[in-house]
Amino acid sequence: MSKATLERGINALKEQIDTPTAAFFSSCVNCGLCAHACLFYTETCDPAKTPIHKLEPMRRLWEQEYTLTGRIRKWLGLGKPITDDELEQWSELAYQNCTLCGRCSMVCPVGNDITYMIRKLREGLSAAGHAPDGLIGATTRAVKLGSPMGVTLKALEAQAKHVKEDSGLDIPFDVEGTEYMVLLSSMEIINYPEYLQAIAKIFDQAKKTWTISSEAFEATNSGIQIGTSDIAAELVQRVVDAAEKLKVQTVISPECGHAYMAIRWEGPNLIGRPFTFRVQHILEVLDELREQGLLQVEGVEDGRLTFHDPCQLVRRGGVIEQPRNLMRLVVDNFVEMKDHGKMNWCCGAGGGVSAIEEAEEVRLKAFNRKKKQLSKLHVDGLVTACANCRIQIEEGLEENDMDMPVIGLTEILANHLVEKETGGGSSA
Amino acid sequence: MNIEAVLLWIRGPGLGLALGIFLFGMAIKLLEIFLLGRKKNLAAVRSSGVAAGFRTILSRSLPPDGNILRRPRFTFIFGYAFHIGLFVVMFFLAPHIEVSHALLGLSWPALPTPVVDVFTIISIIAMMALLWHRLTSPLLKYLTTPQDYLVWALTFAPLLSGYMAYHHLLLPYTWLLSIHIGSVELLLILFPFTKLTHAFTLFIARWYTGMMAGQKGVQS
Amino acid sequence: MKNDPSLLEVLRQQGVSRRGFLKFCAATASLMALPPGMAPVIAKALEQAHRPSVIWLSFQECTGCTESLTRSHAPTIEGLIFDAISLDYHHTLQAASGSAAEEARMAAMKANKGEYLLVVDGSIPTADPGYSTIAGISNLEMLREVAADAAAIIAVGTCAAFGGLPHAKPNPTGAVAVSDIITDKPIINVSGCPPIPVVITGVLAHFLTFGTLPKLDHLGRPLAFYGNNIHDRCYRRPFYERGQFAESFDDEGAKKGWCLYKLGCKGPVTYNACATTKWNNGTSFPIESGHGCLGCSEPNFWDLGGFYNALSEPSVNTGNAAAFGLVAGAAVGAASGIMARKEKDNTSHAHQKVTVNDLKRGESQ
Ligand code: SF4
Ligand code: SF4
Ligand code: SF4
């Protein structure tokens, strides 16, 4: 029995509106600058895709419910009620045409955090039953099967076996009291199994104890993308329970932007209490190891490489310098795109967009932004730190007949690890 | 009633009324914003975000990348020209400072009138350019609401009438002064109920954005 | 009345040469913004003019206007012109008193019915006619009576023109201007507290020459004298432009002759001839003596918000209105904000946990 209704949606939306939201809506002067920061506008020139416009129903709701003048207007019959049709229309703007990349929030002259509000809008849209089918499917799988892509523990164990065969290293499952507990994203397990092996090698070299929980290894949180905190909380809770059960010190979020956002920044707020353990992104861990001299690498990549910042990691997550420190470790010819770091351009597939079938066309259009950046740079390859970005970029490059390898940063580092007697892997 | 009496009313009771309504509306506006409240951040923050919040309050007044000629150039150039011009005119014309002196007891050195005059012209030109842009750019046409035009007119009227008063254009000075002060009063009265509030609420907006980003270790 | 000598004859008797007289006519022509060719016309008209009958009524006034017109430092042609009119009734100046004086007034009114000029200084009390009476006749009554057969009325001084000082808040006598009472006669307002003497003689000369009143502004003042703004003609204007203001009457700026705007000068909204004709035989005008213009030729100049407060300052205390607005706003804002907050808290209570089974629309749709 499904129970999504307009009332539930509006209720959820009203619950989301807070002091910052009210300040943001009070401040917007319709200058249109946010549009120029958003790849969905720049690559389509469709004014409806102006970031702040994606919030119009929410703005009206705020005005009508939470301001005196709005209430008076509503009371006089001058207000325009929010309808299902409208929400359906805005669902397309808020889900398919926004990756929650946060770039708009960086340029707004009055300082509006538009992304913060779009995340909130999704809360209402999903409660009203206007979330896209693709995301509903992914979220359902995440809750019911433990992974949005339906990746089971069995599949992971099979990958672990591969790693063992390949490198001779054990993948430790459910070990209590380790320093680190590693989370993975389904995409990595399926598309980039190299990541698991890289982690194993690095920790082996650094002599760090780590484990994977068989009960909660999935890091992707579809609840965040669809914008349903109740579901996101349930998914976070699984990780928290596992981490607390295994008494680990630090939970490591994998090379995935949204997973980091979900567990690192939204997590404690979702479950309503601070964590008893640390949460770090794998790049933060690696950079720490580098600083401590525990990351011994040799040799450098010979090509001209650049780094694509995953939005949730950099702009929305605060992991900015670490990937650069790590890049310099193994890349001699490291060049930055013009807009990089906290002002990077999104790949076009984050925020759940990649899970929405109907968004495919606009997603590939949005990629043009990255394409333009890359063609200016004349690089031989691109490094990133998010499986989702990686798939999008690979697909986009292929679509545009651009040939260029796309690699995960952790993987590159693993390739350059100083050979150890116990190790069986290859080095570049 | 002759214009002298109108000026007298505008300089006295009218101003009181306008100020009263302005403060009335702003008190409502700010309380409505703050009383909504917000959830405390439970995540382990990288910093309190206080410094970052204050920095954002300042930094959003500067062009991103420190380059005014950024895209979209038009909005940046004329947006700055208008705001800077307005700021100078509002705060550095001697008669304006006298208002502050009378109302708040605060005063500071004024700029020579011809200098202020130049800024007025800059501001007026920039505002007209921005209006033209709003009327012609497909993006802005799409976003613009009637209120945007109202707010434009409310801001433009004091600038233009002030300029005309200074240069004694078209009407006797007494008329122009009445129109000028009257237009400012209209601006004050409608201020709290339109997006003109951005002049104040942007500090709140920037603060939260900067603070929340700062807690994550990003200077927004 | 009597077979009066002509104006020229009178002037001759007073020792004014023809040359001096022509000079006066030329000056009057230029002051009144008439083409220079008009000077001989004025001279001719004045030479032949017979002393017109003038009745001067003084109501609620301080005699300053009369002083200004009659007590010039040295005898002037302007002063002499005054000798040359037949001032048939004037409290201060006439020799007669009591019923003799009133009889003279009645006689003059009768003899020159419809032709005499009525000059008024002082405002007229309306709250209670008893506030100001002359020979037992209230000002209001006397004004109506004398105005009825006058050719024109010259309201001399700001009190007669606009109510002036007696009209200042709270105006206990209900003082009003001549034009508030008489509406069916041409009225020339020669405002100023006091007005410039030459303005009066100029108006008289105009009347004598052309038999008409000069061009007036929207406040009924002769444009020739009130067409210019003090600020526009002020020799301190360059300091205003440069932003150089005296901050007090004895600071460096004041000594250097800087602009008096901040010390309350009302020049920018004052229309008068002071800056050009000056006072005391062309010696100076107030701003030249270091004091800001009070705006004395403007209506309500007493209530313009303080002589020493800058023109841009509020003319009344706005503190109460502001405080009231703030307090009321805080109350309404708090109520509205708390309502909004309640509403928001209600949504939390009404929140039903969303599970993956709730993400799609029900069949009810
Ligand atoms: S968060 Fe990114 S994708 Fe979404 S509206 Fe803002 S700039 Fe566009
Ligand atoms: S950049 Fe900010 S102020 Fe400008 S339209 Fe977007 S949200 Fe509004
Ligand atoms: S002294 Fe008065 S009239 Fe002269 S320039 Fe200053 S403000 Fe104007």
Side-chain angles (χ1 to χ4, degrees), chain B residues 152-166:
Chain B
W152 183 92
L154 285 174
T155 315
F156 192 68
L159 262 178
L160 185 67
S161 59
Y163 180 80
M164 288 173 65
Y166 173 64

PDB file of all heavy atoms in Angstrom, chain B residues 152-166:
ATOM      1  N   TRP B 152      12.875  48.043  -8.468  1.00  0.00           N
ATOM      2  CA  TRP B 152      13.766  48.875  -9.297  1.00  0.00           C
ATOM      3  C   TRP B 152      13.296  50.328  -9.236  1.00  0.00           C
ATOM      4  O   TRP B 152      14.087  51.242  -8.990  1.00  0.00           O
ATOM      5  CB  TRP B 152      13.759  48.355 -10.741  1.00  0.00           C
ATOM      6  CG  TRP B 152      14.696  49.112 -11.636  1.00  0.00           C
ATOM      7  CD1 TRP B 152      15.999  48.800 -11.892  1.00  0.00           C
ATOM      8  CD2 TRP B 152      14.417  50.320 -12.361  1.00  0.00           C
ATOM      9  NE1 TRP B 152      16.544  49.734 -12.736  1.00  0.00           N
ATOM     10  CE2 TRP B 152      15.601  50.679 -13.033  1.00  0.00           C
ATOM     11  CE3 TRP B 152      13.295  51.129 -12.501  1.00  0.00           C
ATOM     12  CZ2 TRP B 152      15.696  51.804 -13.848  1.00  0.00           C
ATOM     13  CZ3 TRP B 152      13.383  52.252 -13.303  1.00  0.00           C
ATOM     14  CH2 TRP B 152      14.574  52.582 -13.969  1.00  0.00           C
ATOM     15  N   ALA B 153      12.008  50.516  -9.448  1.00  0.00           N
ATOM     16  CA  ALA B 153      11.475  51.878  -9.481  1.00  0.00           C
ATOM     17  C   ALA B 153      11.629  52.559  -8.119  1.00  0.00           C
ATOM     18  O   ALA B 153      11.990  53.735  -8.038  1.00  0.00           O
ATOM     19  CB  ALA B 153      10.008  51.850  -9.897  1.00  0.00           C
ATOM     20  N   LEU B 154      11.391  51.808  -7.071  1.00  0.00           N
ATOM     21  CA  LEU B 154      11.511  52.381  -5.725  1.00  0.00           C
ATOM     22  C   LEU B 154      12.931  52.858  -5.449  1.00  0.00           C
ATOM     23  O   LEU B 154      13.147  53.838  -4.735  1.00  0.00           O
ATOM     24  CB  LEU B 154      11.129  51.332  -4.669  1.00  0.00           C
ATOM     25  CG  LEU B 154       9.642  51.031  -4.507  1.00  0.00           C
ATOM     26  CD1 LEU B 154       9.438  49.883  -3.535  1.00  0.00           C
ATOM     27  CD2 LEU B 154       8.895  52.267  -4.035  1.00  0.00           C
ATOM     28  N   THR B 155      13.888  52.145  -6.006  1.00  0.00           N
ATOM     29  CA  THR B 155      15.284  52.519  -5.781  1.00  0.00           C
ATOM     30  C   THR B 155      15.711  53.636  -6.725  1.00  0.00           C
ATOM     31  O   THR B 155      16.509  54.504  -6.368  1.00  0.00           O
ATOM     32  CB  THR B 155      16.201  51.298  -6.009  1.00  0.00           C
ATOM     33  OG1 THR B 155      15.605  50.176  -5.353  1.00  0.00           O
ATOM     34  CG2 THR B 155      17.579  51.532  -5.455  1.00  0.00           C
ATOM     35  N   PHE B 156      15.171  53.595  -7.914  1.00  0.00           N
ATOM     36  CA  PHE B 156      15.573  54.560  -8.925  1.00  0.00           C
ATOM     37  C   PHE B 156      15.047  55.961  -8.596  1.00  0.00           C
ATOM     38  O   PHE B 156      15.744  56.961  -8.820  1.00  0.00           O
ATOM     39  CB  PHE B 156      15.048  54.105 -10.292  1.00  0.00           C
ATOM     40  CG  PHE B 156      15.642  54.854 -11.453  1.00  0.00           C
ATOM     41  CD1 PHE B 156      16.981  54.687 -11.775  1.00  0.00           C
ATOM     42  CD2 PHE B 156      14.874  55.718 -12.212  1.00  0.00           C
ATOM     43  CE1 PHE B 156      17.539  55.370 -12.839  1.00  0.00           C
ATOM     44  CE2 PHE B 156      15.422  56.402 -13.283  1.00  0.00           C
ATOM     45  CZ  PHE B 156      16.767  56.227 -13.596  1.00  0.00           C
ATOM     46  N   ALA B 157      13.839  56.016  -8.068  1.00  0.00           N
ATOM     47  CA  ALA B 157      13.198  57.314  -7.835  1.00  0.00           C
ATOM     48  C   ALA B 157      14.035  58.244  -6.945  1.00  0.00           C
ATOM     49  O   ALA B 157      14.253  59.404  -7.310  1.00  0.00           O
ATOM     50  CB  ALA B 157      11.801  57.111  -7.259  1.00  0.00           C
ATOM     51  N   PRO B 158      14.519  57.796  -5.794  1.00  0.00           N
ATOM     52  CA  PRO B 158      15.323  58.699  -4.985  1.00  0.00           C
ATOM     53  C   PRO B 158      16.611  59.133  -5.681  1.00  0.00           C
ATOM     54  O   PRO B 158      17.031  60.281  -5.563  1.00  0.00           O
ATOM     55  CB  PRO B 158      15.659  57.867  -3.743  1.00  0.00           C
ATOM     56  CG  PRO B 158      14.670  56.782  -3.705  1.00  0.00           C
ATOM     57  CD  PRO B 158      14.299  56.504  -5.118  1.00  0.00           C
ATOM     58  N   LEU B 159      17.203  58.205  -6.429  1.00  0.00           N
ATOM     59  CA  LEU B 159      18.448  58.546  -7.125  1.00  0.00           C
ATOM     60  C   LEU B 159      18.194  59.656  -8.138  1.00  0.00           C
ATOM     61  O   LEU B 159      18.897  60.670  -8.172  1.00  0.00           O
ATOM     62  CB  LEU B 159      18.956  57.317  -7.873  1.00  0.00           C
ATOM     63  CG  LEU B 159      20.026  56.473  -7.217  1.00  0.00           C
ATOM     64  CD1 LEU B 159      20.349  55.297  -8.103  1.00  0.00           C
ATOM     65  CD2 LEU B 159      21.276  57.297  -6.961  1.00  0.00           C
ATOM     66  N   LEU B 160      17.175  59.446  -8.953  1.00  0.00           N
ATOM     67  CA  LEU B 160      16.893  60.400 -10.006  1.00  0.00           C
ATOM     68  C   LEU B 160      16.440  61.738  -9.419  1.00  0.00           C
ATOM     69  O   LEU B 160      16.924  62.805  -9.811  1.00  0.00           O
ATOM     70  CB  LEU B 160      15.820  59.841 -10.943  1.00  0.00           C
ATOM     71  CG  LEU B 160      15.536  60.705 -12.165  1.00  0.00           C
ATOM     72  CD1 LEU B 160      16.751  60.711 -13.077  1.00  0.00           C
ATOM     73  CD2 LEU B 160      14.309  60.213 -12.913  1.00  0.00           C
ATOM     74  N   SER B 161      15.533  61.683  -8.453  1.00  0.00           N
ATOM     75  CA  SER B 161      15.018  62.944  -7.903  1.00  0.00           C
ATOM     76  C   SER B 161      16.124  63.672  -7.153  1.00  0.00           C
ATOM     77  O   SER B 161      16.185  64.901  -7.170  1.00  0.00           O
ATOM     78  CB  SER B 161      13.820  62.686  -6.996  1.00  0.00           C
ATOM     79  OG  SER B 161      14.175  61.830  -5.938  1.00  0.00           O
ATOM     80  N   GLY B 162      17.001  62.921  -6.529  1.00  0.00           N
ATOM     81  CA  GLY B 162      18.110  63.553  -5.838  1.00  0.00           C
ATOM     82  C   GLY B 162      19.032  64.252  -6.822  1.00  0.00           C
ATOM     83  O   GLY B 162      19.460  65.394  -6.614  1.00  0.00           O
ATOM     84  N   TYR B 163      19.277  63.556  -7.927  1.00  0.00           N
ATOM     85  CA  TYR B 163      20.117  64.148  -8.956  1.00  0.00           C
ATOM     86  C   TYR B 163      19.476  65.416  -9.510  1.00  0.00           C
ATOM     87  O   TYR B 163      20.121  66.451  -9.672  1.00  0.00           O
ATOM     88  CB  TYR B 163      20.335  63.122 -10.081  1.00  0.00           C
ATOM     89  CG  TYR B 163      21.188  63.652 -11.202  1.00  0.00           C
ATOM     90  CD1 TYR B 163      22.575  63.677 -11.076  1.00  0.00           C
ATOM     91  CD2 TYR B 163      20.622  64.137 -12.374  1.00  0.00           C
ATOM     92  CE1 TYR B 163      23.367  64.177 -12.092  1.00  0.00           C
ATOM     93  CE2 TYR B 163      21.405  64.631 -13.392  1.00  0.00           C
ATOM     94  CZ  TYR B 163      22.776  64.653 -13.252  1.00  0.00           C
ATOM     95  OH  TYR B 163      23.551  65.149 -14.253  1.00  0.00           O
ATOM     96  N   MET B 164      18.174  65.320  -9.777  1.00  0.00           N
ATOM     97  CA  MET B 164      17.465  66.469 -10.335  1.00  0.00           C
ATOM     98  C   MET B 164      17.423  67.625  -9.340  1.00  0.00           C
ATOM     99  O   MET B 164      17.539  68.792  -9.714  1.00  0.00           O
ATOM    100  CB  MET B 164      16.043  66.068 -10.731  1.00  0.00           C
ATOM    101  CG  MET B 164      16.018  65.189 -11.963  1.00  0.00           C
ATOM    102  SD  MET B 164      14.364  64.565 -12.302  1.00  0.00           S
ATOM    103  CE  MET B 164      13.510  66.080 -12.659  1.00  0.00           C
ATOM    104  N   ALA B 165      17.266  67.293  -8.082  1.00  0.00           N
ATOM    105  CA  ALA B 165      17.211  68.348  -7.073  1.00  0.00           C
ATOM    106  C   ALA B 165      18.546  69.084  -7.031  1.00  0.00           C
ATOM    107  O   ALA B 165      18.606  70.311  -7.024  1.00  0.00           O
ATOM    108  CB  ALA B 165      16.886  67.754  -5.714  1.00  0.00           C
ATOM    109  N   TYR B 166      19.607  68.310  -7.041  1.00  0.00           N
ATOM    110  CA  TYR B 166      20.921  68.940  -6.968  1.00  0.00           C
ATOM    111  C   TYR B 166      21.176  69.863  -8.158  1.00  0.00           C
ATOM    112  O   TYR B 166      21.753  70.933  -8.027  1.00  0.00           O
ATOM    113  CB  TYR B 166      21.994  67.855  -6.869  1.00  0.00           C
ATOM    114  CG  TYR B 166      23.386  68.400  -6.968  1.00  0.00           C
ATOM    115  CD1 TYR B 166      23.863  69.277  -5.992  1.00  0.00           C
ATOM    116  CD2 TYR B 166      24.220  68.052  -8.021  1.00  0.00           C
ATOM    117  CE1 TYR B 166      25.140  69.803  -6.081  1.00  0.00           C
ATOM    118  CE2 TYR B 166      25.494  68.569  -8.116  1.00  0.00           C
ATOM    119  CZ  TYR B 166      25.954  69.448  -7.154  1.00  0.00           C
ATOM    120  OH  TYR B 166      27.203  69.958  -7.236  1.00  0.00           O
TER     121      TYR B 166
END
